[in-house]
Amino acid sequence: MNLSLIDPFVLAQEYPDTLTETLQSGHATCLRFNHTGDYLASGRADGTVVVFDIETNGVARKLQGHTLQIQSLSWSRDDRYILTSGQDCKSILWDLKDGSRMRTVRFDAPVYIAELHPFNHLLFVASLFEDQPVLVDISSPSAVKRILPSAPLRPQPTNGTEVDLGAAAKQAAQDAKHSTCVTIFTAFGNHIIAGTSKGWINIIETATCKTIHSMRLCNGVVILLRLASNGRDLLVNSSDRVIRTVLMPDLSQLGIDLEPANIKLHVEHKFQDVVNRLSWNHVTFSSTGEFVTATTYMNPDIYVWERSHGSLVKILEGPREELGVVEWHPSRPMVAACSLELGCVYIWSVVSPQKWSALAPDFGEVEENVEYVEREDEFDVHPAEQVHQRRLDLEDEEPDVVTLDPIKDATDTDGGFGVPVLLDVSDSDSGEDIIAVGPGTMRRRTPGAAKDGANGHAEKDTGRSGAAGPSRSAGRNRRR
């Protein structure tokens, strides 16, 4: 019924155009939607992870285990588990069913980005700061780390070809300076795509941790890699201020119809601002892969390009502050981005005007008020005999009070995992102080009242401030 109230031309719009929501719970530094788009995970500067419910804009879960800024978030395929990595040199796998830590892996360096295997939540790949990337198996309590190569794969000399030892040694010394900045899994997880500091793209086999193909893509540093939903389109953000979309072959056919020597990566489009020479903070694909979105360095705008023609179709305008990580909803025209200055999460979507004529066939919509003349019998009451007969007909129906409708479990993986509802209000706030002003009545605390009531003492959560008394009172009223 709700869809029938919306203009069909609005439903056909594939990209957002209006800033509609603002979420805040601490200072957000990174974002990630789950696979169904029901939840949005936000990593904060203080090491806390907040999971927002998209429908209610409330906080469904808070995870506290890191001590420094969160760098990356990765959801499992069933959305029950989430991998968090931060500058405190560790990655934590959380079980959202009860908010517990399943595994904690420590490294010798801060983590750039870590991503879970698409089908195995006990396997992930991590890129480390000034260190070699690792493939981590956490199926047992003691994690098994396998180092991945960063040097590109060079063609081997054929038989009878003379080898210049000096040139080979010089090439080996240059390859040793390569460091991997970002690593992601392919769609099936059989291979790992790695971007290096020298602009190379390496394809590494997951089972053997050996590089099977390398390609020089740019002259700068590969900052970010993202795969589209089809698993064949690769989005690359590099430090040379150019965003590239790369068409990849079907790597699942390796050894069947495709040989490693025949792998070709084709650059489809290059997106850049040739006038202002803007740099890009973060990039992502749309839900269908038809659009590319990017946030800009030292600029508050979000650029949206269409891949079919490679043209700019929209510049999303919002708060006058620089934006960092940007994410596109997996099924709707919705974009979320976090600001670098305030740490707020801003959401752009499509504002759909309601089409009230869908409620009744004879309902007429007018742009301005008009005088309406009613008919003589238009609002007459139905005859008493007709009303009495309707009541008698309803009494003849026998209600079924025995049959029970099946209720699906929230943890049923067939229908998708749902985060259980928190009954502790203190763990499910939205980052804003709520105080009680009467029996069953609450309001948001004003900034002045928060300072007076707190007496200079802040709560542990950076997203809330104020005295402990009013907050506990508000929690009791809300639970009632």
Side-chain angles (χ1 to χ4, degrees):
M1 174 179 171
N2 292 334
L3 288 178
S4 62
L5 295 178
I6 301 176
D7 189 351
F9 293 100
V10 175
L11 288 176
Q13 186 170 337
E14 298 178 331
Y15 54 86
D17 53 9
T18 307
L19 178 63
T20 56
E21 298 290 345
T22 300
L23 308 178
Q24 186 174 13
S25 181
H27 193 291
T29 57
C30 58
L31 303 171
R32 201 67 181 267
F33 282 103
N34 68 335
H35 292 84
T36 59
D38 298 329
Y39 302 101
L40 174 65
S42 168
R44 302 197 322 199
D46 62 351
T48 304
V49 178
V50 180
V51 181
F52 291 100
D53 188 336
I54 295 300
E55 294 300 326
T56 63
N57 293 337
V59 175
R61 182 75 68 186
K62 277 189 178 182
L63 310 173
Q64 295 178 338
H66 293 274
T67 56
L68 294 178
Q69 176 176 315
I70 302 296
Q71 289 291 108
S72 70
L73 304 163
S74 179
W75 292 83
S76 63
R77 191 174 186 85
D78 59 356
D79 294 330
R80 174 173 174 175
Y81 306 96
I82 185 170
L83 179 71
T84 62
S85 304
Q87 294 181 358
D88 54 355
C89 307
K90 64 182 179 182
S91 296
I92 301 178
L93 182 67
W94 303 86
D95 186 355
L96 293 181
K97 182 178 181 180
D98 52 5
S100 61
R101 306 183 204 176
M102 284 194 60
R103 298 286 190 273
T104 300
V105 182
R106 300 184 182 276
F107 301 97
D108 297 330
V111 183
Y112 268 139
I113 184 172
E115 180 172 319
L116 287 174
H117 190 277
F119 294 96
N120 182 9
H121 67 274
L122 298 178
L123 185 68
F124 71 91
V125 61
S127 302
L128 306 179
F129 179 73
E130 293 184 351
D131 204 347
Q132 296 295 327
V134 290
L135 179 66
V136 186
D137 185 357
I138 52 177
S139 55
S140 59
S142 58
V144 178
K145 303 175 184 177
R146 302 171 63 186
I147 299 178
L148 302 176
S150 296
L153 181 65
R154 301 291 182 179
Q156 299 296 328
T158 58
N159 295 332
T161 304
E162 295 183 0
V163 179
D164 188 350
L165 298 180
K170 184 178 180 180
Q171 188 69 58
Q174 293 179 356
D175 292 344
K177 298 179 181 179
H178 284 256
S179 62
T180 301
C181 300
V182 56
T183 50
I184 61 172
F185 282 104
T186 55
F188 292 97
N190 297 328
H191 298 86
I192 299 169
I193 306 174
T196 71
S197 58
K198 301 295 184 180
W200 284 76
I201 298 294
N202 297 328
I203 299 179
I204 305 171
E205 196 172 25
T206 305
T208 61
C209 293
K210 293 183 178 180
T211 304
I212 62 173
H213 180 76
S214 297
M215 172 186 173
R216 181 69 177 272
L217 190 67
C218 60
N219 295 323
V221 179
V222 177
I223 302 175
L224 185 66
L225 299 174
R226 297 297 293 267
L227 273 179
S229 56
N230 58 9
R232 297 285 296 275
D233 300 333
L234 180 67
L235 185 62
V236 183
N237 182 25
S238 58
S239 61
D240 60 355
R241 305 181 182 183
V242 179
I243 301 173
R244 296 172 175 85
T245 53
V246 181
L247 302 180
M248 297 182 56
D250 188 1
L251 297 179
S252 63
Q253 299 298 320
L254 277 175
I256 303 176
D257 298 330
L258 181 65
E259 296 296 330
N262 298 328
I263 295 178
K264 301 293 182 183
L265 303 182
H266 175 65
V267 178
E268 178 192 32
H269 289 298
K270 294 182 180 181
F271 303 104
Q272 58 183 324
D273 190 335
V274 296
V275 178
N276 300 319
R277 295 293 296 167
L278 294 174
S279 299
W280 313 105
N281 288 337
H282 197 270
V283 297
T284 187
F285 274 120
S286 65
S287 56
T288 59
E290 298 178 1
F291 297 91
V292 172
T293 307
T295 54
T296 53
Y297 176 71
M298 298 295 291
N299 193 290
D301 298 330
I302 298 180
Y303 283 61
V304 180
W305 293 277
E306 186 180 12
R307 287 183 56 199
S308 59
H309 298 90
S311 58
L312 180 67
V313 295
K314 186 69 177 179
I315 297 180
L316 301 179
E317 298 179 354
R320 307 309 300 176
E321 54 182 317
E322 184 181 355
L323 302 173
V325 176
V326 60
E327 290 291 333
W328 197 297
H329 192 277
S331 59
R332 291 155 55 181
M334 176 188 293
V335 169
C338 59
S339 66
L340 297 181
E341 182 180 352
L342 301 178
C344 299
V345 179
Y346 299 102
I347 296 179
W348 287 261
S349 58
V350 179
V351 178
S352 54
Q354 292 181 334
K355 184 182 176 184
W356 295 106
S357 59
L359 293 175
D362 56 349
F363 190 93
E365 295 185 0
V366 293
E367 297 183 358
E368 58 182 10
N369 293 333
V370 295
E371 184 179 356
Y372 179 74
V373 180
E374 64 182 53
R375 300 191 308 271
E376 181 68 25
D377 58 346
E378 185 173 358
F379 298 104
D380 289 350
V381 181
H382 295 289
E385 295 82 2
Q386 185 178 355
V387 175
H388 182 65
Q389 184 62 36
R390 287 182 181 178
R391 291 177 179 175
L392 294 178
D393 295 340
L394 292 176
E395 291 177 357
D396 294 339
E397 298 181 2
E398 297 182 0
D400 186 3
V401 296
V402 179
T403 305
L404 296 177
D405 295 332
I407 301 177
K408 223 172 193 182
D409 188 6
T411 61
D412 188 4
T413 56
D414 295 337
F417 176 78
V419 178
V421 177
L422 287 178
L423 299 180
D424 189 354
V425 179
S426 63
D427 290 338
S428 61
D429 60 13
S430 60
E432 298 178 353
D433 275 337
I434 305 295
I435 62 175
V437 296
T441 304
M442 279 86 63
R443 66 172 175 84
R444 288 188 175 90
R445 184 194 300 275
T446 59
K451 294 180 181 179
D452 296 337
N455 292 327
H457 296 284
E459 288 187 324
K460 182 178 179 181
D461 187 359
T462 59
R464 305 172 60 210
S465 62
S471 298
R472 287 194 295 268
S473 175
R476 288 194 296 268
N477 286 332
R478 290 174 65 180
R479 280 193 287 272
R480 285 201 295 269

